[in-house]
Amino acid sequence: MEVATRLDPLKFPDETKAGLALVAAYILFDITQTAMFGGWFVANAFGEENNKVLAGAAQLVMLLALTIALVWRRHIKVARALRLQPLEVVDEAFARDAARVGEQIAPGRCNFMVTGNLADANAFCLAAGRKSRIVLGGGLRLLFRKDPQRARAIVAHECAHIASGDVSYVVFGWLLFVSYATLATANCVLAQFVFWYRVANLWPSYSANGYGFVDIVRLNAPFGFAYGFGGLVPVVGVWLLQRHFFRLREFRADERSAQCGYRSALSATLRSAAESTRKRATWRLLSMHPSVDERVRFLESMPPWGRQDAAFLTGMAFIVARIGEDMPSPGDGGTIQTAPTPQAMAEVILNSTPSSFWLTLALITLQLALVFVMSLHVYRTSAVTAHLGGRLAYRLSYVFSSIVAVLVGGFLGSATCANYAAAVADPRHALTLVQAIDASLVSSAVSMCIFWFLAVSIVAFASRDVTRAPKAPAAHAVRLAVRTAFVALGLQVVVSFGSSAIWYLTGGMDPWVIASLPSFTTQVLRGMPSLLQVVAIVLVGAAAIAALRWSGVVRLKTPRGPTHAGWHASA
């Protein structure tokens, strides 16, 4: 059900900048924690094969050097290859018109350049300090003569990127990710080359001792996980996050330019582009850039802004879980991930050595910040759904898909961490695959429960916010964080008292014991649900509410309270 007025999605706190900065922080952290990005070869060259500090430092230097080289290539090589010229020198009339659009959206910050290719009607931004360059394809000069408003819409979209200040973030974030993925891939290939080169040299000795090809593959497993394949796993999680942020910034730039009077022209331009690109649109999930059809839907209607990105939530839970697995332990076997209560978690932190204490504190802060970015996404989608007429039950129906995404992401992030993978693959370690799965299920179940409390808390009050005047984004974000924390804590207290009362009156639940998964299925107190039972209860309850929407029992209705005029889009 589409309402008469359009909600302004730009009034919500923007998670793209904070999200990209946090992803960059994770990459810089992860590159120093293992030897899976080429550092093992550097350390080995210095005769320090087991020196993780040297390996991590070498990897950090290689990452930053490669990123700087890619930035230089983008800004220097690309500019030379395109033979850029100032727009005012080549086309004075178009330059004046583009300058007016730039002053309307990003005053004093736009510097227009143009290529000599008249067949190119695309445009993009090059970060260059406060006054960034907007590169316009030469074909836009022809479009300006044919349909000035559509040419202005394309210019307005690029100016919106400049106004949001996300150009430098995106360029650096993308090239940092490319460097990260390149090092992981190169290290994996090189590690396998070294292994099989050594096997080829020692094959007569292996064969004489009764080793066959299958035995060599088994020997390769711990080596591959310790020095190769393990580095490729987090690349997938980082890619899911960056994909979400890059796509969202495109939608926000479209919306900003649309609110400056170019909605119909930009929509028409995208529709014409869709006809020529639809046949080539394959593997859209792998694209960091939204399709033109998606951009048109976000421009012309509100429902797409209210849809949760399950891939993003999965990737975020994946990264949060990996950070938790990389936290240092005090040496007595206790870890943050396995602490059953907040008091036990505090004891683990306080018992850490001074160096690991500050590292643990920094990693917990990074985890909380990433969880907050997840909360911003849930909050925006819930508020938009409330504006469209989604009552509480309708909004809660979307919690099912989000907690499943978090459960899956948390399990994969924990199960594929370097320590578990290498230990399972190496027969010298006592850790078995089943034990690793058990520990990963515990970690993912705790993450899912925490997210459930946060998601339900956010969904509950999102409808009230759109009926009141919007606040400045920074104040809005702080207020959201504080309120969500208090509401989630209150909800947890209510659930705890309720479950305790049921346990006291009925004797609780019979255990669902699975001998191979003791941590996940054992009840801490007889009758109180185990983690397996908690997950089952939450999933069944959330699925039951989601089924109400799937069956059409609950649907979008007329909002109970009118959306405050301050939330309305200007155009």
Side-chain angles (χ1 to χ4, degrees):
M1 174 180 177
E2 181 73 47
V3 295
T5 56
R6 182 179 178 85
L7 193 70
D8 185 359
L10 303 181
K11 295 290 179 66
F12 294 100
D14 180 14
E15 70 256 41
T16 55
K17 285 185 183 179
L20 288 171
L22 292 172
V23 170
Y26 171 76
I27 290 176
L28 295 176
F29 161 73
D30 189 54
I31 203 78
T32 62
Q33 297 304 301
T34 66
M36 299 184 186
F37 299 91
W40 176 77
F41 298 98
V42 176
N44 193 45
F46 284 93
E48 299 283 345
E49 181 177 348
N50 297 319
N51 192 332
K52 292 185 177 180
V53 175
L54 176 60
Q59 290 173 162
L60 181 61
V61 171
M62 289 189 292
L63 175 74
L64 296 178
L66 183 56
T67 303
I68 293 172
L70 291 175
V71 170
W72 177 85
R73 181 184 181 278
R74 174 180 171 84
H75 284 77
I76 304 300
K77 293 289 186 179
V78 171
R80 290 177 180 174
L82 294 176
R83 298 180 180 179
L84 300 179
Q85 294 182 348
L87 182 60
E88 61 270 16
V89 173
V90 178
D91 194 328
E92 187 175 350
F94 189 22
R96 285 197 303 268
D97 204 77
R100 283 194 293 269
V101 175
E103 288 301 310
Q104 178 188 10
I105 300 176
R109 298 174 59 187
C110 299
N111 181 22
F112 296 98
M113 309 294 289
V114 66
T115 70
N117 185 3
L118 295 179
D120 180 15
N122 294 313
F124 62 93
C125 297
L126 281 176
R130 172 170 168 73
K131 191 147 184 168
S132 298
R133 290 184 291 178
I134 296 177
V135 179
L136 306 176
L140 289 177
R141 295 170 54 200
L142 304 179
L143 181 62
F144 175 68
R145 266 80 185 170
K146 181 180 179 181
D147 192 338
Q149 193 66 3
R150 287 173 60 180
R152 294 186 190 110
I154 296 174
V155 172
H157 172 86
E158 300 305 325
C159 292
H161 282 308
I162 302 298
S164 65
D166 63 2
V167 177
S168 298
Y169 281 83
V170 169
V171 171
F172 178 76
W174 167 245
L175 296 180
L176 186 69
F177 170 74
V178 170
S179 302
Y180 181 65
T182 300
L183 289 178
T185 304
N187 178 78
C188 182
V189 172
L190 188 57
Q192 288 303 298
F193 174 80
V194 169
F195 178 84
W196 291 107
Y197 177 78
R198 291 177 177 176
V199 168
N201 289 333
L202 297 174
W203 180 252
S205 175
Y206 283 139
S207 180
N209 285 278
Y211 283 93
F213 180 75
V214 175
D215 297 309
I216 300 301
V217 172
R218 289 176 179 173
L219 289 174
N220 186 28
F223 180 84
F225 279 112
Y227 298 106
F229 297 113
L232 295 174
V233 175
V235 171
V236 178
V238 172
W239 166 74
L240 288 173
L241 301 190
Q242 290 209 331
R243 177 180 180 271
H244 170 79
F245 295 133
F246 288 175
R247 289 162 55 86
L248 181 59
R249 72 182 283 270
E250 289 298 321
F251 297 140
R252 289 179 63 88
D254 284 341
E255 182 65 25
R256 186 183 291 270
S257 60
Q259 292 186 21
C260 292
Y262 303 101
R263 190 179 300 277
S264 59
L266 185 57
S267 179
T269 303
L270 291 172
R271 285 185 180 279
S272 64
E275 296 300 325
S276 60
T277 60
R278 190 173 287 119
K279 294 181 180 180
R280 304 196 306 266
T282 57
W283 298 97
R284 184 56 60 186
L285 179 64
L286 300 178
S287 175
M288 290 282 195
H289 200 280
S291 68
V292 289
D293 289 329
E294 289 176 299
R295 292 173 64 184
V296 169
R297 288 196 294 269
F298 273 78
L299 265 174
E300 296 182 348
S301 62
M302 281 305 303
W305 290 97
R307 292 174 188 152
Q308 293 184 5
D309 188 345
F312 163 69
L313 295 175
T314 302
M316 190 67 83
F318 179 92
I319 294 300
V320 170
R322 286 188 67 90
I323 294 173
E325 296 297 342
D326 286 335
M327 285 186 185
S329 64
D332 58 359
T335 64
I336 297 294
Q337 297 295 100
T338 58
T341 64
Q343 292 81 2
M345 183 182 296
E347 290 179 4
V348 171
I349 297 174
L350 294 176
N351 290 334
S352 303
T353 61
S355 58
S356 62
F357 169 81
W358 291 111
L359 177 59
T360 300
L361 192 61
L363 294 179
I364 291 175
T365 303
L366 179 58
Q367 280 186 311
L368 292 176
L370 289 169
V371 170
F372 179 64
V373 172
M374 295 172 68
S375 302
L376 289 178
H377 175 68
V378 175
Y379 174 70
R380 173 174 51 78
T381 56
S382 298
V384 170
T385 303
H387 167 74
L388 296 174
R391 304 288 174 84
L392 180 60
Y394 188 90
R395 299 195 305 275
L396 285 174
S397 67
Y398 285 96
V399 172
F400 173 72
S401 59
S402 62
I403 61 175
V404 170
V406 170
L407 181 66
V408 172
F411 174 77
L412 293 177
S414 180
T416 59
C417 73
N419 294 334
Y420 283 169
V424 169
D426 192 342
R428 294 172 299 178
H429 287 79
L431 185 68
T432 65
L433 178 61
V434 173
Q435 289 173 324
I437 291 175
D438 186 31
S440 300
L441 285 172
V442 170
S443 176
S444 60
V446 172
S447 298
M448 187 208 72
C449 292
I450 293 174
F451 179 79
W452 181 83
F453 283 115
L454 293 174
V456 172
S457 303
I458 292 170
V459 169
F461 60 68
S463 60
R464 294 185 58 211
D465 285 0
V466 295
T467 62
R468 300 180 179 183
K471 299 181 180 295
H476 199 159
V478 172
R479 183 169 179 264
L480 174 65
V482 174
R483 183 175 54 181
T484 301
F486 276 103
V487 175
L489 182 61
L491 181 62
Q492 184 177 6
V493 171
V494 171
V495 171
S496 297
F497 274 110
S499 59
S500 298
I502 294 174
W503 172 62
Y504 179 77
L505 294 174
T506 65
M509 300 179 64
D510 293 329
W512 304 346
V513 177
I514 301 177
S516 57
L517 302 175
S519 300
F520 188 54
T521 62
T522 302
Q523 294 178 339
V524 178
L525 293 176
R526 182 170 182 80
M528 290 296 287
S530 63
L531 281 174
L532 171 62
Q533 292 170 323
V534 169
V535 169
I537 292 170
V538 173
L539 288 180
V540 170
I545 298 176
L548 297 177
R549 173 171 56 84
W550 299 334
S551 62
V553 175
V554 296
R555 61 188 68 187
L556 294 176
K557 300 178 181 180
T558 303
R560 289 180 176 175
T563 300
H564 191 278
W567 285 100
H568 294 169
S570 57

Coordinates of all heavy atoms in Angstrom, one line a residue, residues 125 173 187 242 250 253 309 320 339 383 410 425 441 469 530:
C125 N 33.1 10.2 -10.3 CA 33.8 11.1 -9.5 C 35.2 10.7 -9.2 O 35.5 9.5 -9.1 CB 33.1 11.3 -8.1 SG 31.5 12.0 -8.3
G173 N 37.9 2.7 0.3 CA 37.4 1.4 0.8 C 37.4 0.3 -0.3 O 37.8 -0.8 0.0
N187 N 48.5 -15.1 -2.0 CA 49.1 -16.0 -1.0 C 48.6 -17.4 -1.1 O 49.4 -18.4 -1.0 CB 48.8 -15.4 0.4 CG 49.3 -16.3 1.5 OD1 50.5 -16.2 1.8 ND2 48.4 -17.1 2.1
Q242 N 30.6 -4.4 1.8 CA 30.9 -3.4 0.9 C 29.9 -3.3 -0.2 O 29.5 -2.2 -0.7 CB 32.3 -3.5 0.3 CG 33.4 -3.3 1.3 CD 34.7 -2.7 0.7 OE1 35.0 -3.0 -0.5 NE2 35.4 -1.9 1.4
E250 N 24.5 4.7 -3.9 CA 24.0 5.0 -5.2 C 22.5 5.4 -5.0 O 22.0 6.3 -5.6 CB 24.1 3.8 -6.1 CG 25.5 3.5 -6.6 CD 26.1 4.7 -7.4 OE1 25.4 5.3 -8.1 OE2 27.3 5.0 -7.2
A253 N 22.4 8.8 -3.5 CA 22.7 9.9 -4.4 C 21.6 10.1 -5.4 O 21.3 11.3 -5.8 CB 24.0 9.5 -5.2
D309 N 18.2 -6.1 3.9 CA 19.2 -6.8 3.0 C 19.7 -8.0 3.8 O 20.6 -7.8 4.7 CB 20.3 -5.8 2.7 CG 21.3 -6.3 1.7 OD1 21.3 -7.6 1.5 OD2 22.1 -5.6 1.1
V320 N 31.5 -10.0 12.6 CA 31.4 -9.9 14.1 C 31.9 -11.2 14.8 O 32.6 -11.1 15.7 CB 30.0 -9.5 14.5 CG1 29.9 -9.5 16.0 CG2 29.7 -8.0 14.1
A339 N 31.9 -16.8 27.5 CA 31.5 -16.3 28.8 C 30.0 -16.4 28.9 O 29.3 -15.8 28.0 CB 31.9 -14.9 29.0
A383 N 11.1 1.8 10.0 CA 10.5 3.1 10.0 C 9.8 3.4 8.7 O 8.6 3.9 8.6 CB 11.5 4.2 10.3
G410 N 26.7 -15.8 11.7 CA 27.5 -16.0 12.9 C 28.1 -17.4 12.9 O 29.3 -17.6 13.3
A425 N 41.8 -29.6 10.6 CA 42.5 -30.2 9.4 C 43.7 -30.9 9.9 O 44.2 -31.9 9.2 CB 42.8 -29.2 8.4
L441 N 28.1 -23.3 16.9 CA 26.6 -23.2 17.1 C 26.4 -22.3 18.4 O 25.4 -21.5 18.4 CB 26.0 -24.5 17.3 CG 25.9 -25.3 15.9 CD1 25.4 -26.8 16.2 CD2 24.8 -24.6 15.0
A469 N 9.0 15.1 14.8 CA 9.9 15.8 13.9 C 11.3 15.1 13.9 O 11.7 14.7 15.0 CB 10.1 17.2 14.5
S530 N 18.0 -25.1 26.8 CA 19.4 -25.1 26.3 C 19.4 -24.1 25.2 O 18.4 -23.6 24.7 CB 19.8 -26.5 25.9 OG 19.0 -26.9 24.8

